[in-house]
Amino acid sequence: MGGEKSKPKPEEPPLLDEPWRKINSGDKQHDLQYVRDYKPQTEGQQLRILLHGPAGAGKSSFINSVQSVLLGRMYRQALADNISHSCFTKKYSTFRIQRENPDTFYPFILNDIMGLSPQKGVQVDDVKLAFTGHLKEGYVFNPGSKLSEGNEFYNKSPTVNDKVHVLVCIVPAHTLSSMSDETVQKIRDIRLEASRLGIPQVAILTKVDQACPEINKDLKNVYRSKYMKERMEQFSADVGIPMNCIFPVKNYHEEIKLNDDTDALILSALRHIIDCGEDFINWKAE
Ligand SMILES: Nc1nc2c(ncn2[C@@H]2O[C@H](COP(=O)(O)OP(=O)(O)OP(=O)(O)O)[C@@H](O)[C@H]2O)c(=O)[nH]1
Ligand SMILES: [Mg+2]
């Protein structure tokens, strides 16, 4: 009577047997050397990497993480914040990264900006002005209006080094599915303008440690987690950035020592960013 009760399906394992993208701690030394040896083909050229993304996504923390990996110790130059729920970074700031020798720097720089937020964040038009080098260092973003040409922070004659060579969208992995339509639209809008100018784009999904328990337990699971892969595919479909330009990362935010697995993910993303920027410069120069 009533037939046989259907057996509960065995739960699908959350991890793939093999990682779908190969990365291991051994890659760390390889990628680290690659970044250390990187020299733009064009003499005097500087690669400008602009970060953007929702408020609190980990933009400033990513800058600190990159600096920490390259310096081999914890570094906290870009102020990150863990209490403000709105935009903490307010200024257009440039971060250079020092090499081991004092007064020598890597030939790439990172620009931090105010976060995208539905009401109070950075104006999309200001991000577009940064692309073409019209935003001067130190400009304090005004969420109510875009920078006008008459403003002292408007750079009327940008040089090739003032222009952006790679756009990096930083988004927290654990809240990807709840990102507002307005924020997704802003990311798309910024991306379309970058594409129009030919600027390559990379996305970094931060806070992977908060995205799923398996990654929290062991960062090596990041490319084995089915959940993470689905989130990346969804994000790719939502904003149009191809999967091979999306990199999951855990920033240094609470630790006091470097970790090889954390470094390997950061360096894998950084190496790709540098390659994209270098290709763009050479393509422009042709
Ligand atoms: N668990 C975890 N926390 C992170 C990670 N990256 C950043 N955080 C934390 O997230 C919070 C916000 O980081 P910020 O780097 O200030 O973010 P932001 O994008 O610069 O934020 P705004 O300047 O407000 O736009 C801080 O508390 C960081 O410690 C990460 O990979 N994992
Ligand atoms: Mg910030």
Side-chain angles (χ1 to χ4, degrees), residues 62-238:
F62 180 69
I63 293 176
N64 288 332
S65 300
V66 166
Q67 293 195 312
S68 300
V69 177
L70 296 181
L71 281 166
R73 64 172 171 83
M74 241 15 118
Y75 199 76
R76 300 168 203 87
Q77 188 187 11
L79 291 181
D81 181 62
N82 65 0
I83 41 169
S84 77
H85 296 292
S86 59
C87 307
F88 182 69
T89 301
K90 312 254 187 264
K91 234 193 241 177
Y92 189 54
S93 311
T94 303
F95 293 90
R96 296 195 296 166
I97 304 171
Q98 201 171 330
R99 289 187 183 271
E100 293 80 50
N101 303 341
D103 298 332
T104 52
F105 294 88
Y106 283 90
F108 52 85
I109 50 178
L110 295 150
N111 272 118
D112 199 8
I113 61 171
M114 186 183 220
L116 296 169
S117 133
Q119 285 93 32
K120 290 181 281 183
V122 65
Q123 290 258 332
V124 168
D125 283 338
D126 280 343
V127 185
K128 294 179 182 176
L129 283 176
F131 288 167
T132 43
H134 288 296
L135 275 195
K136 278 193 193 165
E137 162 93 16
Y139 173 61
V140 178
F141 292 99
N142 177 354
S145 66
K146 73 166 190 173
L147 176 69
S148 65
E149 284 193 31
N151 192 295
E152 57 170 317
F153 284 97
Y154 187 93
N155 182 358
K156 288 202 177 73
S157 36
T159 67
V160 65
N161 278 340
D162 293 325
K163 296 180 184 172
V164 167
H165 305 109
V166 193
L167 176 69
V168 179
C169 179
I170 309 253
V171 185
H174 71 307
T175 54
L176 266 182
S177 45
S178 57
M179 203 155 62
S180 74
D181 290 348
E182 206 175 339
T183 304
V184 173
Q185 191 48 47
K186 281 184 181 179
I187 293 174
R188 278 187 65 85
D189 194 6
I190 290 169
R191 171 174 148 69
L192 285 179
E193 178 65 4
S195 301
R196 200 183 64 78
L197 297 168
I199 300 172
Q201 299 135 43
V202 175
I204 289 183
L205 306 189
T206 55
K207 309 195 186 185
V208 292
D209 51 312
Q210 294 184 348
C212 80
E214 290 75 25
I215 302 179
N216 190 20
K217 209 165 101 197
D218 186 353
L219 201 52
K220 286 194 185 73
N221 286 334
V222 74
Y223 287 120
R224 289 183 60 209
S225 158
K226 291 180 185 167
Y227 174 84
M228 195 63 214
K229 186 161 187 274
E230 279 164 21
R231 292 276 79 79
M232 287 172 69
E233 285 165 349
Q234 188 58 52
F235 179 69
S236 173
D238 286 347

Side-chain angles (χ1 to χ4, degrees), residues 6-73:
S6 62
K7 282 190 194 149
K9 279 194 193 151
E11 275 203 13
E12 268 210 47
L15 296 177
L16 299 163
D17 291 339
E18 291 291 325
W20 59 274
R21 192 183 274 172
K22 293 272 182 254
I23 177 158
N24 57 52
S25 309
D27 288 339
K28 176 190 154 176
Q29 284 312 326
H30 198 238
D31 287 347
L32 186 59
Q33 205 50 49
Y34 185 88
V35 173
R36 289 204 164 132
D37 293 344
Y38 167 67
K39 244 171 124 186
Q41 257 182 43
T42 319
E43 189 71 30
Q45 175 75 58
Q46 201 174 44
L47 206 67
R48 188 178 289 275
I49 301 161
L50 176 68
L51 310 185
H52 81 108
K59 297 179 289 299
S60 304
S61 301
F62 180 69
I63 293 176
N64 288 332
S65 300
V66 166
Q67 293 195 312
S68 300
V69 177
L70 296 181
L71 281 166
R73 64 172 171 83

